[in-house]
Amino acid sequence: MLISAAHVAVLLITACLVLLACSTLFLSTYAWWSPDHRSTTGYPDILPANEHSFSLIMPCRTEREEVMRATLARLLQQTHSRVEVIISVGDDDPDTVAIAHALAKEHPDSVRVSVDSNAVKNKPRQLNTALKLCRNDIVGIFDAESIAAPTLLAHIDSVFQHRNADVVQGAVQLVNFSDSWYSLRNCLEYFIWFRSRLHAHAKSGFIPLGGNTVFVKRDLLVSVGGWDGDCLAEDCDLGVRLSVLKRRIVVAYSPDLVTREETPDSLASLIRQRTRWSLGFMQVYAKGDWRRMPTGIQRVNAWWTLTQQHFMALAGVLIPISIMLALFAKFPLPITMATFLPLIPTFALFTLEICMLHEFGKDHSFRIRARDYLRLVLGAPAYQVLLAISAIRALGKFYTGDFRWDKTAHNGAHLNLAEVRLADAR
């Protein structure tokens, strides 16, 4: 059989799709490989003494008062004894500034307001302005719609003590899984990311941090210059820079200690959010800090992690081409059969996602119905198309230099579910 250029192209497309699917399968199942993996991903026993103090930055922009008030209330209800909250706002957002000052006036001993006056407005610049006001040992980030567990900081303090950590990444969980066809998949995606994928990254020594419920020693954060004010994935970028410095980053998960949030309120909002994340990863890759990872294996891992956004965009184009070639092109039988290889790990992942949805429901005391499993399966192709569209948009923005910040609106869809969970805990 003679191998033509077309044959080689088809085989390369197939290899790319297989590698992407296998990588996703590997990272998504890491936490369930063995009892040891499950135990090491959790929190250690809580210690009776609070050794550290916390400065919690709460970045807000065009927020609803009830959302901000609910988030602040949970931060002030922490059982930890030494906590201050810095509400971070922009000077071009007078309504949110007024709400922030009103909330600070209600809690003058524990809440202050940071007003960012940078000409370019985005989250990392707001965080850097707020960092200057932080006085305590550990700086933590909670988004404006974040509902934290009351004992979270006490547990985070124990992680810093038990594991001699420089950084602790807690878990975030979207909870309004029944609101729309895509919200179920979005919630499961967060569950897999914080329950499994981040732990696999931490084990490898290279971790793209999440932008919420992450805690960094203040002196370390100041020494590295805070967050990159031009990066749309400032959390990922910070994780890369700290990984290069070999700082000890610990990821901890417990269903009782996750920070609860809501999914974007529309498909357009979700696409804008995912476009921003993909574009941010592309920025971090282009900066090249990952090339200074200590070992070759870590550099390969970093390259693959950061370029997956490019591969997602590529997959969005290649998957339909691969299907069309497999069905209609006249290739030799072995090559035609090879084009179906990506379906094997993909179907394996779909099967495991059904099991993970069951775990999600069990962990968070949600009743998962038969229709939810059906929605999970039927919604998979459309959701992958949505992610591919987002990645392709990000690629276009990257090459045209469009790095404007698209904010995700917060409507408070998660608040009732969070209050029910708090009542159950009591």
Side-chain angles (χ1 to χ4, degrees):
M1 178 181 67
L2 294 177
I3 302 295
S4 67
H7 296 161
V8 172
V10 169
L11 292 175
L12 287 175
I13 291 173
T14 299
C16 177
L17 294 177
V18 168
L19 186 59
L20 186 61
C22 288
S23 172
T24 302
L25 185 63
F26 169 83
L27 294 170
S28 299
T29 58
Y30 173 83
W32 288 276
W33 284 0
S34 71
D36 285 343
H37 281 198
R38 289 181 67 90
S39 63
T40 56
T41 58
Y43 283 83
D45 293 335
I46 193 169
L47 296 174
N50 295 329
E51 182 176 295
H52 301 91
S53 57
F54 288 84
S55 293
L56 307 178
I57 303 177
M58 179 178 151
C60 303
R61 186 165 183 81
T62 61
E63 307 293 351
R64 294 168 57 183
E65 180 177 352
E66 59 267 34
V67 173
M68 291 175 62
R69 185 174 291 277
T71 296
L72 180 62
R74 280 299 191 90
L75 297 181
L76 296 177
Q77 290 169 6
Q78 291 295 308
T79 59
H80 197 282
S81 59
R82 292 183 288 169
V83 179
E84 67 170 358
V85 179
I86 311 296
I87 303 178
S88 170
V89 292
D91 62 356
D92 64 334
D93 185 11
D95 291 340
T96 307
V97 171
I99 296 170
H101 281 297
L103 292 173
K105 188 175 181 180
E106 294 175 14
H107 308 279
D109 296 331
S110 51
V111 179
R112 288 179 292 147
V113 178
S114 166
V115 181
D116 176 52
S117 59
N118 281 294
V120 176
K121 301 300 183 185
N122 59 32
K123 180 179 177 181
R125 290 174 185 264
Q126 280 192 206
L127 292 177
N128 283 330
T129 300
L131 178 59
K132 298 174 184 176
L133 296 183
C134 295
R135 300 176 292 202
N136 291 338
D137 304 326
I138 307 295
V139 176
I141 309 301
F142 287 89
D143 286 342
E145 79 281 18
S146 301
I147 302 299
T151 62
L152 175 61
L153 294 186
H155 282 85
I156 294 294
D157 195 330
S158 295
V159 176
F160 274 102
Q161 295 181 59
H162 270 291
R163 300 185 181 173
N164 193 30
D166 295 306
V167 182
V168 177
Q169 172 72 70
V172 179
Q173 182 58 62
L174 307 181
V175 293
N176 54 320
F177 68 96
S178 61
D179 283 4
S180 63
W181 74 265
Y182 64 84
S183 62
L184 176 66
R185 282 211 150 264
N186 202 193
C187 290
L188 185 63
E189 191 176 30
Y190 266 65
F191 177 69
I192 294 170
W193 177 256
F194 286 101
R195 182 68 188 90
S196 182
R197 292 180 67 118
L198 270 183
H199 299 276
H201 286 301
K203 180 69 173 177
S204 74
F206 176 84
I207 177 169
L209 288 170
N212 187 6
T213 317
V214 60
F215 305 87
V216 187
K217 289 184 176 178
R218 181 171 60 87
D219 291 344
L220 172 60
L221 191 53
V222 171
S223 72
V224 299
W227 294 269
D228 184 340
D230 295 318
C231 186
L232 297 180
E234 81 291 338
D235 45 359
C236 171
D237 173 73
L238 180 62
V240 170
R241 288 186 284 135
L242 294 178
S243 296
V244 168
L245 294 174
K246 300 182 182 180
R247 294 297 185 171
R248 182 162 177 75
I249 302 174
V250 176
V251 181
Y253 173 87
S254 168
D256 297 326
L257 297 173
V258 299
T259 296
R260 298 177 186 279
E261 292 191 355
E262 61 183 330
T263 63
D265 60 356
S266 68
L267 276 177
S269 182
L270 178 60
I271 290 173
R272 287 195 300 271
Q273 181 193 67
R274 299 311 292 259
T275 298
R276 187 182 77 237
W277 292 358
S278 295
L279 183 55
F281 267 63
M282 292 174 187
Q283 285 181 289
V284 176
Y285 173 78
K287 283 180 65 177
D289 289 330
W290 58 272
R291 292 186 174 92
R292 296 188 285 116
M293 289 298 295
T295 69
I297 292 177
Q298 287 177 319
R299 288 191 290 275
V300 170
N301 178 42
W303 174 84
W304 178 245
T305 300
L306 295 174
T307 56
Q308 282 208 25
Q309 302 307 317
H310 295 77
F311 282 111
M312 281 294 299
L314 185 63
V317 176
L318 294 184
I319 287 175
I321 293 175
S322 179
I323 293 173
M324 295 297 291
L325 288 174
L327 293 176
F328 301 110
K330 294 182 179 179
F331 288 117
L333 182 60
I335 293 179
T336 301
M337 293 179 65
T339 60
F340 287 96
L341 286 177
L343 295 178
I344 298 173
T346 300
F347 282 136
L349 183 59
F350 284 167
T351 303
L352 284 166
E353 282 180 342
I354 293 173
C355 300
M356 291 173 190
L357 181 57
H358 173 76
E359 286 284 311
F360 166 70
K362 185 173 68 173
D363 269 10
H364 299 285
S365 300
F366 291 137
R367 184 181 178 186
I368 306 298
R369 304 171 186 270
R371 66 181 181 220
D372 295 319
Y373 291 107
L374 184 62
R375 282 197 303 148
L376 178 73
V377 175
L378 295 181
Y383 197 75
Q384 290 305 312
V385 169
L386 183 150
L387 296 181
I389 290 172
S390 302
I392 292 169
R393 288 184 75 239
L395 202 58
K397 285 175 173 286
F398 181 81
Y399 285 109
T400 58
D402 181 3
F403 299 108
R404 289 172 294 181
W405 185 277
D406 266 333
K407 181 187 175 296
T408 305
H410 306 140
N411 293 320
H414 61 308
L415 296 181
N416 290 336
L417 287 169
E419 291 307 317
V420 168
R421 289 283 299 179
L422 179 59
D424 290 343
R426 290 171 177 165

